[in-house]
Amino acid sequence: MSREALQESLSAVMDNEADELELRRVLNAFDDVETRETWARYQIARAVMHKDLLLPRLDIAAAVSAALADETVPVKATRGPWRSLGRLAVAASVTVAVLAGVRLYNQDEIAGVELAQQSNQPGLAVPQVKGPAVLAGYSESSEATGPMANGVLQGQPGWHDQRLPSYLRQHAQEAALKGTESALPYARAASLENR
Amino acid sequence: MRAIPLLSLLLSGWFVAPAHADEAQDWLTRLGHAEQTQSFNGTFVYERNGSFSTHNIWHRVQDGKVRERLLQLDGSAQEVVRVDGHTQCVSGTLIAGLGESSKSAARALDPQKLKNWYEIAVIGKSRVAGRSAVIVALTPRDQHRYGFELHLDKETGLPLKSLLLNDKGQLLERFQFTQLNTSDVPSDTDLQPGADCKVIAVDGNKASAANVAQSWHSDWLPPGFELVSSSAHKDPQTKAQVNSLMYDDGLARFSVFLEPLNGAAVTDTRTQLGPTVAVSRRLTTPQGEIMVTVVGEIPIGTAERIALSMRTDATAVK
C-alpha cells in the first residue's frame, strides 16, 4: 500500500471521518513505527491548530509492550508476597514508561518546519485526470467530504454516473430472480428508481 | 438436596440450547416452503437510507404454479409479474438487461448451509401487521456479511418483517408488511399486469455468457460465497460489452461487473446506498484496462477486497 493512501487514511481516522476499511487499514499498519510517528505528528499538528497543546506525544503502546515483554512469566507454584510484588514491579515499570514519555514529550520542541510540512501532507491525492472532459465536472470540495458522501453517488462524474445505476439495477433484478425472499430484492430494485 | 434443582437446571439448559437452534432452522425451512405453498396478498413498506416506499403484493400458488405480482403504490407505478420465478413483465423504469440468468430458477433457502456462515437462533416473539410472529436472528460468523432479523408469521411462516443490520447493529434496511391476508386466494384480475408492464425481451447475447465464468475468477472470496450466475450483455447506451458474475452465500448476494475502459480516464469510487455497496477499481490486464465494480449487500471492506482479487484467465486460455 502506498504511503499516501495510508496517510490519507490516518488523517481520516483522526478527523473521525474514516470508514471501516480505512480504520482497519490504519490499525493494521499501526505496528509500524513510522506510522505511529506520523500519527503522533498529525496529533500535534491538530493540537496546534486547535490551540490545545496538551496532547502528549506518547508512545504508550510501545512502552507498554516493552514493559510487558520484560515481565517474566510467573511461575504457577510460587504463591505469596513475591508474586504480588512482581506485579507491582511491572505496574511500576509501565508507570515509569508513561511518565518518561511525558517528560520526553515536554522536552521535545515542536519544530515549526515539521508542522509546516505536515500541514501540506493531508492534501488528498488528486486523482489522475487525463481527459479535459472529465476535468470540467470535477470539483475538489466534494473530495474533501470523503469517499462516501452519505449515500450519494459521488466521485468522478460521467463514467460512473452512467454505469452505476444500471449496475445497481441489474444486481437488484438478478437478486430478485435468485432469491427466495423475492419481494425484498424487488423492493430494493424499485427503491433505486425512486431517486 | 440443593444440588438437584441446580442439576436439573443445568441439564435443561443443556437440552434447550440445541433445541432452540433446531427450532430456528425449522422456521427457516418453513419460510422456504411458505412461498411455494401459501397464497397471500398484502401491503408492505420498504425503507432504507434515503428511500421509503409502499408496495402491494399478490402471490398465488395454484396447480403447483407460483404466480406473483408486485406493484409500487406511491410515486411511479413500478410493477413486476413473475411466474415460477421467471419474470414475465416489468414496468418501464425497472427494465434491465436481463440475460441468461432470467432462465435459471431461484435457489431454495438451505438452513443447513446457512448455519455455516450465520448463527441462527429464535430470539423472541413479536407482532407485525396484526399477526403474531417469531423473531429469527441470523448473526454472521465473520465480518464479510450482514446480519438479518426475520419476523416470521406464526401461522404460515411467511416473512412479515425483515431487517438488515451491520456489525454495529445499525439498521440498513427495513422490509415490513403492514397488512397481510392469507385466507383469500388472489384472483386473475389481481394478477393481471397493468398496461405499463412490458414483456421481458430475452437478451440475445447469450453465446458469450458461458465464457464469462471461465475467463474471470476471483483470487479471494468471502467464505461460503459461490458463483450462481454469469452473463454478458451489451449496454444499449454505451455499446460496451459488460460481463457480470453473481455470487451468494445462500442469503446475501453480490455481483461483479467487468467492463473495458477503452482508454477512458476514470477514478476508483466507493458508494453506499442503504444496504447496497458499490466499489469500482481499475484493473490492468493484457487486454487493456478493465473497470471492476462490485455491487452487493455486503460490507464495504469485503467488496473492496473482492474487487482487488478479480483476475482474468484470458491469457491462460489462449
Side-chain angles (χ1 to χ4, degrees):
Chain A
M1 181 193 315
S2 72
R3 216 57 230 156
E4 287 75 25
L6 184 62
Q7 283 171 348
E8 205 178 298
S9 301
L10 263 179
S11 76
V13 170
M14 209 176 73
D15 295 338
N16 234 347
E17 279 177 358
D19 56 45
E20 205 180 312
L21 181 83
E22 281 177 313
L23 189 60
R24 227 165 260 165
R25 182 187 290 160
V26 168
L27 287 176
N28 280 341
F30 232 68
D31 288 338
D32 174 31
V33 179
E34 210 183 324
T35 311
R36 284 211 299 273
E37 279 176 353
T38 312
W39 170 260
R41 279 201 302 276
Y42 280 14
Q43 291 289 358
I44 291 165
R46 190 172 75 160
V48 168
M49 281 190 279
H50 291 195
K51 298 204 164 53
D52 177 24
L53 249 174
L54 269 172
L55 270 177
R57 185 188 186 175
L58 295 182
D59 205 347
I60 294 181
V64 171
S65 316
L68 287 177
D70 286 346
E71 182 187 6
T72 47
V73 181
V75 186
K76 273 203 173 158
T78 57
R79 287 193 174 220
W82 291 113
R83 201 174 156 212
S84 51
L85 202 69
R87 275 188 189 163
L88 205 70
V90 171
S93 65
V94 170
T95 313
V96 166
V98 170
L99 288 176
V102 174
R103 284 247 334 243
L104 277 174
Y105 162 69
N106 284 340
Q107 285 167 358
D108 187 32
E109 283 186 31
I110 303 156
V113 186
E114 191 187 23
L115 275 178
Q117 276 174 350
Q118 289 306 319
S119 63
N120 284 335
Q121 283 280 351
L124 294 160
V126 179
Q128 293 165 342
V129 181
K130 286 174 198 157
V134 187
L135 193 62
Y138 170 72
S139 72
E140 195 141 0
S141 59
S142 71
E143 201 75 6
T145 56
M148 277 192 299
N150 219 0
V152 182
L153 290 179
Q154 179 262 327
Q156 212 74 355
W159 202 92
H160 287 294
D161 285 355
Q162 215 169 17
R163 265 68 166 201
L164 277 186
S166 108
Y167 286 174
L168 287 164
R169 196 178 297 148
Q170 202 181 328
H171 167 75
Q173 294 243 329
E174 290 200 13
L177 292 167
K178 295 285 158 207
T180 39
E181 5 71 269
S182 54
L184 182 57
Y186 149 80
R188 273 183 201 141
S191 85
L192 294 171
E193 309 302 325
N194 294 333
R195 283 187 291 138
Chain B
M1 282 310 277
R2 216 181 282 166
I4 291 170
L6 189 70
L7 194 72
S8 62
L9 199 74
L10 276 173
L11 278 177
S12 67
W14 184 266
F15 289 119
V16 162
H20 262 288
D22 287 346
E23 189 195 349
Q25 285 181 35
D26 289 346
W27 276 108
L28 286 189
T29 312
R30 270 191 82 179
L31 161 68
H33 287 305
E35 294 191 335
Q36 302 301 316
T37 53
Q38 178 70 48
S39 293
F40 61 90
N41 66 80
T43 314
F44 64 84
V45 296
Y46 175 76
E47 180 197 7
R48 65 154 168 89
N49 181 23
S51 172
F52 184 95
S53 51
T54 52
H55 308 258
N56 232 350
I57 181 168
W58 295 268
H59 186 97
R60 186 174 73 183
V61 184
Q62 215 167 46
D63 311 325
K65 254 187 176 328
V66 182
R67 203 178 162 87
E68 186 175 60
R69 177 171 170 234
L70 291 136
L71 177 68
Q72 184 168 317
L73 300 175
D74 53 346
S76 55
Q78 298 188 58
E79 192 178 355
V80 178
V81 174
R82 277 198 291 259
V83 176
D84 283 339
H86 300 310
T87 306
Q88 302 295 298
C89 77
V90 295
S91 64
T93 46
L94 268 175
I95 281 275
L98 289 169
E100 181 86 338
S101 56
S102 54
K103 290 275 176 196
S104 60
R107 303 210 314 171
L109 206 63
D110 183 357
Q112 287 303 320
K113 199 185 153 213
L114 281 179
K115 76 174 184 193
N116 292 327
W117 323 114
Y118 298 89
E119 213 167 290
I120 305 169
V122 172
I123 58 165
K125 288 181 278 190
S126 72
R127 187 165 168 270
V128 182
R131 303 169 74 98
S132 13
V134 172
I135 310 172
V136 177
L138 291 111
T139 317
R141 293 188 191 273
D142 59 25
Q143 75 274 32
H144 300 305
R145 61 210 92 217
Y146 292 134
F148 285 82
E149 190 183 303
L150 301 172
H151 296 236
L152 305 177
D153 186 28
K154 266 194 177 158
E155 199 186 314
T156 62
L158 287 169
L160 295 177
K161 177 169 162 181
S162 163
L163 306 176
L164 191 68
L165 305 154
N166 70 6
D167 57 339
K168 297 182 188 79
Q170 290 163 327
L171 185 64
L172 297 174
E173 72 175 358
R174 172 200 302 274
F175 166 92
Q176 184 170 342
F177 271 98
T178 56
Q179 175 264 321
L180 180 70
N181 176 359
T182 52
S183 46
D184 301 330
V185 176
S187 67
D188 282 342
T189 30
D190 289 336
L191 290 159
Q192 197 62 43
D196 289 337
C197 201
K198 295 192 191 83
V199 174
I200 279 274
V202 177
D203 204 320
N205 204 350
K206 271 183 242 153
S208 51
N211 297 329
V212 178
Q214 288 167 14
S215 57
W216 287 96
H217 76 276
S218 181
D219 270 358
W220 178 85
L221 282 173
F225 280 89
E226 292 165 12
L227 183 71
V228 288
S229 74
S230 62
S231 67
H233 80 276
K234 246 193 180 76
D235 191 294
Q237 284 182 334
T238 58
K239 306 277 175 240
Q241 176 84 14
V242 184
N243 293 334
S244 70
L245 303 162
M246 179 173 262
Y247 298 83
D248 84 5
D249 69 349
L251 197 61
R253 277 168 292 268
F254 66 85
S255 298
V256 182
F257 296 93
L258 306 138
E259 182 170 346
L261 278 169
N262 295 324
V266 185
T267 52
D268 299 348
T269 59
R270 283 180 276 162
T271 306
Q272 179 107 39
L273 269 167
T276 311
V277 71
V279 173
S280 286
R281 284 206 160 263
R282 264 170 314 178
L283 177 70
T284 309
T285 70
Q287 287 77 39
E289 287 215 305
I290 302 272
M291 186 54 100
V292 179
T293 307
V294 177
V295 177
E297 288 72 41
I298 48 171
I300 195 161
T302 305
E304 184 117 17
R305 193 161 163 198
I306 297 158
L308 287 168
S309 308
M310 292 308 294
R311 299 283 178 271
T312 175
D313 298 331
T315 43
V317 172
K318 279 170 195 171

